[in-house]
Amino acid sequence: MTPASFSDYRELARRRLPRMLFDYIDGGSYAEITLRRNTEAMEAVQLRQRVMRDVSTLSLATEVFGQKLSMPVVLGPVGMAGMYARRGEAQAARAAEAAGVASCLSTMSICGIEEVRQAVRAPAWFQLYMIKDRGYMRELLARARQAEAPVLVFTVDLTVPGTRYRDVRSGLTAPLPFWAQVARGIDGLSHPAWLYDVMLRGRPHGFGTLASALPHARGASEFWVWIRANFDPSITWADLAWVREQWPGPIVVKGILDVEDARDAVRAGADGIVVSNHGGRQLDGAVASVEALPAVADAVGDRLTVLMDGGVRSGLDVMRALALGAKACMLGRAWAFPLAARGGPGVAHMLETMRGELATAMALTGCTDVRAADRTLLARP
Ligand code: FNR
């Protein structure tokens, strides 16, 4: 199949990956209501078609935190990408750089910060979870500074992990009985392209960035035990001041859905926020990102940079998010599936596809400069 869209890449990834990994990417928490709501709410945003407005020249470029982007897109932090494709985080960062967009390395990456730094000329952003051991946090932030990460994305909506039923069933987050482990092994063996690319050529498979904090977690389920024990549920806005002491550059707080939290982020001195429900992987029943976005952008959009993620599947969705007040979108599954399906070239192709879709959306809504996108582009503002 020649992939043309997000759902094509999702299908290719489904065929290529062992079930456990596909479900890890595809799934959400509990009944997956918020996961579905993210895309349904996105689809419900209607753009206003305009004609006869000379759209022969379009400008898709923008700037966030002083960094020029060829379009308002950032590859967001996605854990374990090095298990989807060989040295996946490095491949994705390279594809992003070639496309002129930014990428953000997850704390839970397989490739360490240093490896990704080596892979690109322009350093990637870094995403941080708050771990109880502040000494280790200091060390992590020093490594990110050393790797010249220009932006720190501080994810605050995973103080406790939401349960993803698919990950329980697959054995990713809970140990499996013996025969289920055998079945999982057979499933792995029946995906030879992935086996060759990742298991044979893509070693080592430890968590590159967290390696020294992890006491040799054997298998993924032990890793989740470690997360439950070590992520810090006591964090408050005062901890942002602590992070600020360690980090001279811009700090973006990821996981804001509420206007009051957005105002607190401003008061606490954040440089940006990501309106996000973690891709429907945390609080099931939370509002869709795209539904939360307009009120948050109205409340704080003039005081910090508002990014959003959740349900962005195409360049048309990027246009929708911009019209509702986002400065740029972060992608999650929209780059994870292309990476799993085709490696770095898959990510590169998806980004070019999105660029084309965004350009078309701009032309047909009469928007010639992406930086000027606002609610006048909506059929029902
Ligand atoms: C994520 N997300 C995430 N966020 C984060 O801050 N750190 C992380 O390590 C991860 N890991 C991760 C793994 C996978 C497989 C997914 C799908 C998501 C959340 C991610 O950054 C983003 O918020 C969502 O993916 C956005 O939703 P969509 O567009 O992917 O549906």
Side-chain angles (χ1 to χ4, degrees):
M1 173 171 61
T2 306
S5 67
F6 171 86
S7 39
D8 294 346
Y9 272 116
R10 178 177 177 275
E11 173 56 20
L12 289 176
R14 192 188 64 74
R15 291 185 206 164
R16 186 170 165 112
L17 292 176
R19 177 77 187 264
M20 180 172 86
L21 281 172
F22 175 77
D23 275 346
Y24 170 66
I25 304 171
D26 197 49
S29 56
Y30 305 98
E32 304 189 338
I33 291 165
T34 296
L35 171 65
R36 279 195 297 280
R37 199 174 276 163
N38 272 348
T39 46
E40 285 167 7
M42 187 65 91
E43 284 164 11
V45 177
Q46 297 183 44
L47 294 166
R48 180 176 170 206
Q49 176 171 300
R50 302 296 306 275
V51 295
M52 307 291 271
R53 293 173 70 88
D54 184 4
V55 290
S56 53
T57 310
L58 301 172
S59 172
L60 280 70
T62 193
E63 201 177 301
V64 285
F65 309 114
Q67 186 173 352
K68 289 195 165 50
L69 304 180
S70 67
M71 61 176 164
V73 165
V74 178
L75 301 191
V78 164
M80 303 206 302
M83 295 307 293
Y84 319 157
R86 173 171 48 99
R87 313 317 291 160
E89 291 89 358
Q91 289 202 62
R94 259 188 242 116
E97 179 172 48
V101 302
S103 68
C104 181
L105 185 68
S106 160
T107 310
M108 325 279 261
S109 57
I110 301 296
C111 298
I113 309 176
E114 296 78 11
E115 180 179 346
V116 175
R117 179 68 193 91
Q118 292 287 312
V120 287
R121 267 169 290 116
W125 302 8
F126 182 66
Q127 177 262 325
L128 185 79
Y129 284 122
M130 194 59 119
I131 295 161
K132 286 177 188 163
D133 180 347
R134 296 294 194 271
Y136 186 69
M137 293 278 296
R138 231 180 249 120
E139 201 182 295
L140 208 55
L141 286 165
R143 283 169 66 195
R145 279 201 309 273
Q146 185 71 26
E148 301 167 279
V151 176
L152 184 72
V153 174
F154 182 28
T155 301
V156 295
D157 61 2
L158 208 133
T159 41
V160 293
T163 300
R164 301 173 201 143
Y165 295 147
R166 297 200 219 184
D167 294 347
V168 175
R169 291 182 198 117
S170 74
L172 189 75
T173 50
L176 286 180
F178 176 72
W179 287 111
Q181 286 182 41
V182 172
R184 187 171 70 185
I186 293 170
D187 185 47
L189 290 174
S190 61
H191 291 87
W194 170 81
L195 209 59
Y196 176 69
D197 183 44
V198 177
M199 295 311 275
L200 232 56
R201 297 172 66 218
R203 290 180 174 280
H205 293 138
F207 285 93
T209 297
L210 286 178
S212 63
L214 276 167
H216 297 295
R218 284 179 302 277
S221 64
E222 283 185 29
F223 179 65
W224 287 94
V225 171
W226 182 87
I227 288 179
R228 275 187 215 102
N230 286 281
F231 276 31
D232 190 351
S234 75
I235 52 169
T236 66
W237 288 108
D239 291 288
L240 191 69
W242 183 88
V243 175
R244 173 66 76 200
E245 283 166 26
Q246 327 291 321
W247 190 262
I251 300 177
V252 181
V253 178
K254 176 170 178 282
I256 300 288
L257 285 181
D258 194 276
V259 169
E260 284 311 310
D261 286 342
R263 292 204 177 102
D264 283 343
V266 172
R267 280 192 280 271
D271 302 283
I273 54 173
V274 187
V275 176
S276 173
N277 50 37
H278 216 100
R281 296 161 78 80
Q282 284 294 98
L283 179 64
D284 198 28
V287 66
S289 307
V290 80
E291 284 172 333
L293 176 61
V296 169
D298 282 348
V300 299
D302 55 342
R303 282 175 289 168
L304 44 64
T305 301
V306 177
L307 310 179
M308 75 80 66
D309 74 19
V312 179
R313 304 288 177 255
S314 70
L316 294 158
D317 292 342
V318 174
M319 183 93 258
R320 290 175 163 116
L322 297 183
L324 288 166
K327 187 89 194 288
C329 291
M330 276 189 161
L331 310 178
R333 296 174 178 91
W335 73 264
F337 284 137
L339 178 74
R342 296 275 161 93
V347 179
H349 176 245
M350 180 277 303
L351 286 170
E352 283 325 299
T353 305
M354 269 199 178
R355 192 190 306 283
E357 291 160 347
L358 176 59
T360 304
M362 290 171 68
L364 297 177
T365 55
C367 169
T368 52
D369 188 338
V370 92
R371 289 166 303 179
D374 63 16
R375 260 169 247 174
T376 60
L377 299 174
L378 298 172
R380 295 174 220 283

